[in-house]
Amino acid sequence: MSKSQENIIISKTEDFADRITKMYRYLSEKRQGDKDMLKQIIRSGTSIGANVSEGQFAQTKPDFLTKMTIALKEANETRFWLKRLYAYGSLTQKEFDSIIRDSEEIISILTIITRTTRENLKNDGVR
């Protein structure tokens, strides 16, 4: 992964964690959204960036791949909860469109990172 890709995914996941946190606070204060759903989305939405951050200091390429794969799984889970919050009327169409776009972009980037890393490991003879 190039330095520019690293910087992009770091900044995007940090910004996303901030957005998720603000959304969580807003919906909690307004009492919009199921409490359990909100707890789940704050965990998964902030975990994406935490795993990407951990991956930057991975000891090995397989360790890096593990962290990026976990971040991708958390991003997918967050997308699920965003769709649920929208379906239950906790998010407006405009709010949903904005934040789901960010989550889809992060999923796309992490998919590329994990796929490329996996291919590089295969080419290096590492499993």
Side-chain angles (χ1 to χ4, degrees):
M1 176 170 59
S2 73
K3 280 289 182 199
S4 64
Q5 284 177 312
E6 284 180 29
N7 293 336
I8 289 169
I9 195 60
I10 290 169
S11 64
K12 285 193 179 293
T13 56
E14 286 175 352
D15 291 347
F16 190 73
D18 293 344
R19 284 192 77 189
I20 289 290
T21 301
K22 288 175 187 173
M23 181 193 74
Y24 170 83
R25 286 183 183 154
Y26 173 78
L27 293 177
S28 293
E29 288 171 10
K30 298 288 183 189
R31 301 206 190 303
Q32 294 177 337
D34 179 81
K35 242 168 118 172
D36 292 328
M37 270 194 249
L38 292 175
K39 286 179 185 177
Q40 291 286 28
I41 199 164
I42 192 74
R43 285 187 192 115
S44 64
T46 56
S47 179
I48 303 163
N51 279 288
V52 167
S53 182
E54 280 186 52
Q56 303 313 301
F57 292 95
Q59 294 177 335
T60 62
K61 285 181 183 181
D63 184 32
F64 173 80
L65 177 59
T66 298
K67 297 300 182 199
M68 294 302 110
T69 301
I70 292 169
L72 178 57
K73 288 178 178 183
E74 295 292 336
N76 190 53
E77 179 181 342
T78 302
R79 177 175 53 185
F80 172 83
W81 292 119
L82 286 169
K83 288 179 178 180
R84 300 293 43 87
L85 285 170
Y86 176 67
Y88 286 97
S90 300
L91 297 173
T92 66
Q93 181 74 51
K94 185 177 178 183
E95 291 166 337
F96 175 74
D97 289 346
S98 175
I99 201 161
I100 200 75
R101 192 175 320 118
D102 287 351
S103 77
E104 296 288 351
E105 188 174 9
I106 288 168
I107 289 169
S108 293
I109 294 168
L110 287 169
T111 298
I112 292 166
I113 291 169
T114 55
R115 185 178 301 137
T116 302
T117 303
R118 198 171 284 114
E119 289 170 7
N120 289 342
L121 286 171
K122 243 187 227 178
N123 293 337
D124 292 347
V126 179
R127 288 186 178 219

